[in-house]
Amino acid sequence: MLKVDLDMKVKFLHGFAHKTRIQILECIKEKEKTVSHIVDALNGNQSNISQHLACLKGCGLIVGRQDGKYTYYSLRNQQIKELLNMFDVVFEQVESDVACCDRHIG
């Protein structure tokens, strides 16, 4: 078994721990997008989306590609996409338990 620094693992998982960040990851799961495209798709504001993009980048989940004055954001690799898909599979199995949990609201 790989030895993983638990603090780094928690930091990585932090990227998934906010609704807006999950929305961003889902938004760019199939195709890279600019901040403007993400803002439009999520009906968000640019400042807030940019802060979440910085968090996702810092957690190693996404990368940015500069093209002229635009930065295009995408998932770091195929494994991140597979992880998001696996979250959906597992969530489907535990959804009723999660719905009953009142320890972690919102």
Side-chain angles (χ1 to χ4, degrees):
M1 185 171 174
L2 292 175
K3 183 178 186 320
V4 177
D5 179 329
L6 289 179
D7 290 334
M8 286 297 116
K9 194 173 192 178
V10 169
K11 191 173 183 179
F12 169 76
L13 292 171
H14 177 75
F16 297 102
H18 194 279
K19 181 179 179 179
T20 301
R21 290 194 290 273
I22 295 293
Q23 289 174 312
I24 291 170
L25 291 170
E26 291 293 334
C27 181
I28 64 174
K29 187 161 67 170
E30 300 301 329
K31 181 181 176 191
E32 67 180 4
K33 293 187 174 74
T34 65
V35 174
S36 297
H37 290 129
I38 296 167
V39 167
D40 290 345
L42 301 184
N43 258 346
N45 70 61
Q46 186 161 348
S47 175
N48 184 266
I49 298 296
S50 293
Q51 289 176 0
H52 286 292
L53 285 167
C55 177
L56 290 166
K57 200 169 181 185
C59 291
L61 300 175
I62 66 170
V63 293
R65 177 183 65 82
Q66 198 70 38
D67 186 11
K69 67 179 187 171
Y70 298 103
T71 302
Y72 288 83
Y73 293 95
S74 61
L75 300 181
R76 172 173 290 280
N77 53 37
Q78 182 64 26
Q79 287 82 5
I80 300 297
K81 182 177 180 179
E82 290 169 8
L83 185 56
L84 289 169
N85 290 335
M86 185 55 70
F87 282 157
D88 291 340
V89 169
V90 172
F91 179 69
E92 197 172 295
Q93 297 169 4
V94 300
E95 184 174 5
S96 62
D97 294 332
V98 172
C100 294
C101 178
D102 60 358
R103 293 185 177 270
H104 302 287
I105 306 295

